[in-house]
Amino acid sequence: MSEIIEQIKSIVVAGKHKEIEKIVKAGLDANIDPGAIINDGLIAAMDIVGKKFGSGEIYVPEMLVAAATMKKGLEIIKPLLTGDASQPKGTILMGTVKGDLHDIGKNLVIMMLEGAGFKVVDLGVDLSVDKVVEKVREIKPDLLGLSALLTTTMPEMQKVIVMIREQGLRDSVKIMVGGAPVDSRFAEKIGADGYGKDAADAVQLAKKLIGIN
Amino acid sequence: MLIIGERINSSRKSIAGAISAGDEAFIQKEAKLQAEAGASYIDVNAAAFVGEEIERLKWVIGAVQEVTDLPLCIDSPDPGAIRAVLPMVNKPPMINSITLEPDRLERILPLVVQYRAKVVGLCQSEEIMAESTDAKVELAGRLVEKVTGAGIPLDDLYIDPLVYPLGTSATSAQSTLEAIERIMKDFPGVHTTCGLTNVSHGLPARKLVNRTFLSACIIRGLDSAIMDPTDKLLYGALKAAVMITGRDDFCMDFIHAFRAGLIE
């Protein structure tokens, strides 16, 4: 039984997307708990992928193909889930701030967060402060992730945080920031809860801020 | 081929360090190295110094102009910073960059006219950064309209069709290559330029990817690049590609660059 889970794990890590469907079905046929396939197989695999990416052992396309493989596996299992196993580990709101159209980095982060079992709502790019605050109020996420690639749009992150505080929402949502010109010092200065230096780091940070593992 | 030497950019740690420390000799060495290697313009960027960009950029410009006669490429996301530093520039510069964002256009185009500058135009509007070939060509057309409408000769416009990382989209470079060819064909007299490093983001052997991409761009018609001319393999790929596409009479440029030890 655990052998199949190990196989699922190594197939996701290797990004063999053509093989994932068959092995996941074999796992289900062998009556392995779908929740175990997800947590000990697919999500555990993405954890390894994240670490390998973080250490520079694998490259962006390898991370992408692993995530695509994971997603394919997940889609087979999702309809079968009931109860606890179908609950996401937390809800995360993600977006790129006003005046900034860059989304490649943000999208990588989203993919890895989903791979780690979070529910992610992508608000897109060029987001006004009001829009972000409105969505925080409406969706009530555990965590808000803000991205900026330009030195000129970085200050928008601070505006969002200030507005969230003014609206009395700051205690109900954690905030993480990232993007090429951003660093941990800046994150601290503007009152964010943390800075993720890449997609793998963002996942570790999200886990820490939401309080899992 | 117009080469914009990109090394003096504050997003590089060594440059930011030198600017912070007021290390004039370091910045001047970077300028001289690029001038000797074949740069046509020296790009200057201090955008990492948020809140003090203008004064830092002025310092960089002063330092660079002391050691080279090459014109500068004023590189800033802030039109206000561009306007503030232009009066101290010795030669008609290049301005990096405009997009189709109305505010940026309105503030920068008059400066291009006033300082008889060349200008880099990014295929980017308020709504999108062009990814598909069609979007790139469409935005290029609008840039051509805006720039010539302001009375600027087409010859002074360098369109950057943008390139995205192959690591996240395997056909991104192909869109750029096709756009270069179509832009050069559809708008005769305009120029195309491109930054190279984005294409290899997230991949191994990045320099190999960058110079292969540069060769491909030149073969499709690119006639300017934002690059590091001191990278002899990269510069060699450029010279060879220019020669291969019949833009180097009697192959003299290639031979001279080889004899001067500039290419490998």
Side-chain angles (χ1 to χ4, degrees):
Chain A
M1 218 163 88
S2 66
E3 205 176 286
I4 292 185
I5 288 194
E6 281 307 312
Q7 278 180 356
I8 289 173
K9 222 157 92 178
S10 67
I11 279 171
V12 172
V13 171
K16 294 180 178 167
H17 57 98
K18 288 179 186 152
E19 295 175 25
I20 190 69
E21 187 174 347
K22 198 173 148 202
I23 187 77
V24 167
K25 282 186 175 156
L28 293 172
D29 288 345
N31 285 322
I32 301 178
D33 171 37
I37 293 180
I38 292 184
N39 287 314
D40 305 335
L42 301 174
I43 291 179
M46 288 311 288
D47 195 40
I48 297 172
V49 168
K51 284 183 179 133
K52 283 181 179 233
F53 178 72
S55 70
E57 192 182 327
I58 63 167
Y59 298 99
V60 167
E62 292 175 293
M63 183 167 82
L64 279 173
V65 74
T69 306
M70 191 260 185
K71 214 170 178 181
K72 231 167 146 181
L74 200 58
E75 272 158 19
I76 301 165
I77 301 173
K78 255 191 179 162
L80 310 174
L81 288 178
T82 51
D84 264 5
S86 63
Q87 294 303 310
K89 291 183 176 176
T91 302
I92 303 176
L93 215 53
M94 289 284 296
T96 303
V97 295
K98 183 78 191 159
D100 204 323
L101 301 171
H102 295 88
D103 66 356
I104 291 177
K106 169 185 67 71
N107 293 346
L108 283 178
V109 172
I110 289 173
M111 208 184 60
M112 291 304 284
L113 289 171
E114 286 174 342
F118 293 105
K119 179 186 170 200
V120 183
V121 180
D122 181 7
L123 299 180
V125 299
D126 194 19
L127 295 166
S128 68
V129 172
D130 289 346
K131 173 91 176 175
V132 177
V133 174
E134 177 199 319
K135 287 292 173 184
V136 167
R137 198 188 295 281
E138 176 193 323
I139 296 168
K140 299 183 176 61
D142 300 289
L143 176 62
L144 168 67
L146 297 172
S147 172
L149 197 91
L150 304 170
T151 51
T152 44
T153 55
M154 276 163 70
E156 288 293 323
M157 292 178 161
Q158 182 162 22
K159 289 187 196 163
V160 171
I161 295 175
V162 167
M163 185 60 91
I164 284 178
R165 200 178 292 133
E166 278 174 11
Q167 298 281 315
L169 297 164
R170 186 66 184 91
D171 292 337
S172 59
V173 64
K174 299 283 185 190
I175 301 172
M176 63 176 183
V177 295
V182 180
D183 59 19
S184 53
R185 220 182 49 162
F186 177 77
E188 199 178 322
K189 197 181 106 191
I190 65 171
D193 296 302
Y195 156 74
K197 77 172 164 62
D198 58 35
D201 199 34
V203 170
Q204 296 308 318
L205 178 64
K207 284 182 183 171
K208 198 180 98 188
L209 292 177
I210 292 179
I212 46 176
N213 297 339
Chain B
M1 196 78 193
L2 185 138
I3 294 159
I4 304 158
E6 70 182 3
R7 290 175 62 92
I8 305 179
N9 190 309
S10 58
S11 67
R12 294 175 65 211
K13 277 207 179 91
S14 61
I15 297 294
I19 296 175
S20 283
D23 186 347
E24 220 171 39
F26 187 93
I27 298 293
Q28 291 178 331
K29 193 178 150 210
E30 289 285 329
K32 277 190 282 188
L33 280 175
Q34 295 184 90
E36 285 159 12
S40 330
Y41 281 75
I42 305 285
D43 191 273
V44 286
N45 170 303
F49 294 89
V50 179
E52 42 188 295
E53 184 188 358
I54 292 177
E55 110 201 33
R56 301 289 190 166
L57 189 56
K58 280 183 173 171
W59 177 83
V60 171
I61 290 171
V64 171
Q65 288 191 148
E66 269 178 32
V67 295
T68 175
D69 291 332
L70 285 182
L72 304 180
C73 179
I74 308 297
D75 179 0
S76 171
D78 176 11
I82 293 172
R83 192 185 55 201
V85 303
L86 280 172
M88 69 179 292
V89 167
N90 290 340
K91 289 199 170 164
M94 183 172 237
I95 292 174
N96 187 7
S97 55
I98 54 167
T99 64
L100 284 160
E101 292 159 275
D103 176 63
R104 227 179 140 70
L105 271 181
E106 276 165 31
R107 294 172 68 187
I108 296 180
L109 286 184
L111 299 172
V112 176
V113 174
Q114 185 184 345
Y115 290 90
R116 291 177 295 122
K118 295 185 186 297
V119 65
V120 176
L122 306 180
C123 290
Q124 178 180 337
S125 69
E126 233 177 349
E127 295 85 27
I128 67 159
M129 295 171 66
E131 287 187 44
S132 70
T133 299
D134 285 344
K136 289 175 198 293
V137 176
E138 199 239 312
L139 295 195
R142 283 165 56 193
L143 282 167
V144 166
E145 253 171 55
K146 294 282 181 192
V147 166
T148 53
I152 299 158
L154 197 53
D155 184 45
D156 286 338
L157 174 60
Y158 287 74
I159 293 176
D160 181 342
L162 305 183
V163 64
Y164 292 95
L166 284 166
T168 51
S169 163
T171 56
S172 61
Q174 183 60 23
S175 306
T176 304
L177 295 175
E178 281 171 16
I180 289 168
E181 189 164 318
R182 280 179 49 192
I183 291 167
M184 294 303 264
K185 200 171 126 238
D186 290 358
F187 312 106
V190 81
H191 303 281
T192 41
T193 193
C194 199
L196 307 172
T197 49
N198 210 19
V199 76
S200 60
H201 188 83
L203 290 174
R206 292 190 62 179
K207 289 187 166 186
L208 169 62
V209 180
N210 296 347
R211 65 179 178 263
T212 306
F213 176 63
L214 175 61
S215 301
C217 288
I218 292 172
I219 286 164
R220 302 295 279 264
L222 189 86
D223 62 357
S224 167
I226 303 166
M227 60 180 271
D228 177 4
T230 70
D231 177 341
K232 291 182 182 181
L233 286 169
L234 181 64
Y235 197 51
L238 176 144
K239 289 289 178 190
V242 169
M243 176 175 69
I244 287 165
T245 47
R247 288 180 265 174
D248 182 2
D249 277 349
F250 295 99
C251 310
M252 277 301 129
D253 219 26
F254 183 79
I255 293 168
H256 286 153
F258 178 77
R259 287 240 174 82
L262 298 175
I263 62 175
E264 273 173 18

